[in-house]
Every structure is written in C-alpha cells, then in structure tokens.
Amino acid sequence: KLQASGGGAVQAGGSLRLSCSASGFSVDNYPMMWFRQAPGKEREGVSCIRNSDGSTYYRDSVKGRFTISRDRAKNSVYLQMDSLKPEDAAVYYCVTDFEWPCNDRIGTVRDYVMDYWGKGTLVTVSS
C-alpha cells in the first residue's frame, strides 16, 4: 500500500515536500516513482529513484527544482519541490512497479506500465 501526503496550496516560487509511506513491501526492493496528473491532461512521470543504487531521474521540466529521496528506516519516499510553477499544479501519485527499472525515460514512460498506485495528493500553485 502506498499513501501520499503533503500536498497543498502555494504561490509560485514556493516549496512543498510530498511524502509517500509504503506498507507491505520495502522501498529498498523496488523502484519508486512520482507521477502527476493536471486537469485535462494525462498522467505523466515526474521522478523516480532506483532501488538498486539510489540513482535518481527527473522529467526535464522539473530538473534542478525537484528532488526525490527515500528513508529506509521510515520506509518512505519523498519529493521535495522547490521553485514551484503554476504548471506544476496537479494531483501527485506515489507509484511503484516490480519490473520497470527506473531510468531517464521517466518523463515519457506511460502510466499504464506501472502496477501499483497510491491515492494522490493535490498540489495547487497560484501565480
């Protein structure tokens, strides 16, 4: 089970930290991803962290602004979002999959590839 939290309303330029608590499996054993879905748009991959070596990947539009991390002790994954823009507004989902390897295709991978989704958390960014 995946439970995302930490969403909210911020002004452009602000920051938010999303959290994803995992239960039933270890975040060390599988790649962990963040996806998002803006109104009227398809879900898109935002970032992922590889379980084997901790490598991280981001879609181009968030590189340098977002940081994904994990805490083994808390069995959780985080997404630190800085310098938020109105176009970052979306419902953010914590996701994992037992086969997709987490790589630099996070920005283009289709959502139907992923098997396990948590409930989303809403991020609103005002200009």
Side-chain angles (χ1 to χ4, degrees):
K1 181 179 177 181
L2 298 169
Q3 181 65 54
S5 61
V10 295
Q11 291 187 330
S15 298
L16 280 175
R17 185 186 191 223
L18 305 184
S19 299
C20 172
S21 176
S23 59
F25 70 98
S26 171
V27 298
D28 267 356
N29 292 340
Y30 302 103
M32 298 298 298
M33 283 69 73
W34 286 97
F35 273 68
R36 68 185 180 187
Q37 186 172 26
K41 295 188 177 181
E42 295 183 350
R43 287 188 292 195
E44 60 183 21
V46 176
S47 180
C48 65
I49 184 165
R50 188 181 294 170
N51 54 298
S52 58
D53 60 5
S55 295
T56 58
Y57 299 91
Y58 303 89
R59 69 180 298 109
D60 287 346
S61 61
V62 307
K63 284 179 180 177
R65 301 188 297 119
F66 289 14
T67 304
I68 189 171
S69 62
R70 64 184 175 186
D71 184 327
R72 293 180 176 87
K74 296 183 178 180
N75 206 31
S76 295
V77 177
Y78 306 95
L79 186 67
Q80 176 67 41
M81 306 186 297
D82 298 319
S83 302
L84 281 161
K85 304 176 180 180
E87 52 264 41
D88 295 318
V91 176
Y92 283 72
Y93 298 91
C94 181
V95 181
T96 192
D97 187 82
F98 295 166
E99 294 184 359
W100 193 72
C102 174
N103 53 36
D104 59 3
R105 298 177 188 172
I106 183 63
T108 57
V109 65
R110 299 302 300 274
D111 60 351
Y112 58 73
V113 170
M114 306 298 162
D115 287 335
Y116 300 97
W117 295 72
K119 291 185 178 180
T121 185
L122 177 64
V123 173
T124 304
V125 185
S126 58
S127 57

